[in-house]
Amino acid sequence: MSAALRTLCVVRRCRLLSAALAGGGLLSVGLGTVGVLSAAPVSAASLTICGKSVLLAPGDAGTCTYTIRWSGAGTYRGRVNVALDVAMSSYASGVALGHVVGTEALLDGTSVGLQVAITDSAGNTYGIGTVSCFAAPPPSAPASPPNAAYCRSSDENQVVASSEPKGYRDTFTVHWSFPLAAGNQYQGGGATVTLRAVLTGSASGAVLGASAQPGGVGGAGTPDTGAQLPAYLPEAVIGVGLGLLLAGTWRWRRERWRPAR
């Protein structure tokens, strides 16, 4: 191979390297910018669950716990039947704030809305009911996504356990997730998920209570937010991209002005 041909091959390899660095830099900057925009707080919403308040953004997920204990109440300390009532409601921010920002309730029953599931420490699962949506808080006309400003659902008297003695305990875990695909129609909206356990005496048939009754329902645990990408990650990706872009530009200019040998 002649010296001229070797020089040409080196130049071509250098140009390819410069182009690769610059291309990688542009790609990283683009991905980082998308990450920053998608993580913008304009899509934030709020969730009240297990007696706690949680801020939501697309991609968030978490759990909270709700524990019941039967330790006897009043004059009755016999066995009890346990049932669970679940109620959910949500609203769009346009309804709450009086202007057209956020047209859709969070719990609208779609795959891009807020997702909720309930299990207990015995491995059982519980329903959340059929979601019904309206143009405004009822009484109001029915509505459908993506213009369902108010939605609600309930599933009551779900059997948890039968004929349980004093000392019975169960813990319910509420799982929630807000899909990354959730759009700005949910911006600023709010949702509430309520669990209520009812303990009924097997012998007397008397309702012994829910959260307000002695010996009935215990407190709720603090909600946990799920694993998320660090907030600084998109900015870091942009920084790496700019570094690659500068490196590629510098190498290209260096090879361009290098004296021929």
Side-chain angles (χ1 to χ4, degrees):
M1 183 183 294
S2 66
L5 186 56
R6 284 197 300 270
T7 300
L8 179 60
C9 290
V10 169
V11 170
R12 284 181 175 175
R13 284 197 297 269
C14 290
R15 287 178 178 174
L16 286 173
L17 178 58
S18 300
L21 289 171
L26 288 172
L27 179 61
S28 298
V29 170
L31 290 174
T33 302
V34 170
V36 169
L37 293 177
S38 64
V42 295
S43 295
S46 63
L47 170 64
T48 300
I49 194 165
C50 297
K52 307 292 181 180
S53 181
V54 182
L55 291 179
L56 291 177
D60 284 353
T63 62
C64 67
T65 57
Y66 176 75
T67 299
I68 61 171
R69 303 175 183 86
W70 169 239
S71 56
T75 59
Y76 182 76
R77 298 181 180 274
R79 293 177 177 270
V80 293
N81 297 327
V82 185
L84 179 69
D85 294 344
V86 178
M88 308 196 309
S89 64
S90 63
Y91 60 86
S93 63
V95 174
L97 303 178
H99 55 79
V100 186
V101 175
T103 60
E104 184 74 355
L106 294 177
L107 290 160
D108 59 0
T110 69
S111 60
V112 294
L114 182 64
Q115 308 295 306
V116 177
I118 302 169
T119 60
D120 72 358
S121 50
N124 301 311
T125 59
Y126 300 91
I128 61 173
T130 301
V131 177
S132 299
C133 295
F134 307 87
S140 177
S144 301
N147 295 298
Y150 182 90
C151 298
R152 66 186 182 186
S153 70
S154 64
D155 197 340
E156 299 181 346
N157 298 318
Q158 300 183 71
V159 175
V160 177
S162 300
S163 192
E164 295 294 337
K166 176 182 174 181
Y168 171 79
R169 173 188 175 115
D170 196 2
T171 297
F172 301 94
T173 300
V174 186
H175 311 258
W176 73 83
S177 61
F178 198 32
L180 277 172
N184 282 339
Q185 71 266 30
Y186 300 105
Q187 175 183 338
T192 299
V193 177
T194 303
L195 272 63
R196 178 177 182 267
V198 178
L199 284 67
T200 305
S202 299
S204 67
V207 174
L208 300 175
S211 57
Q213 294 293 328
V217 177
T222 301
D224 299 320
T225 54
Q228 304 175 54
L229 294 176
Y232 59 80
L233 185 59
E235 288 86 349
V237 172
I238 291 176
V240 171
L242 289 174
L244 290 173
L245 184 60
L246 289 173
T249 303
W250 174 82
R251 190 168 185 87
W252 176 79
R253 290 175 61 88
R254 181 169 175 264
E255 293 302 324
R256 181 181 179 187
W257 296 106
R258 176 179 290 180
R261 297 182 180 176

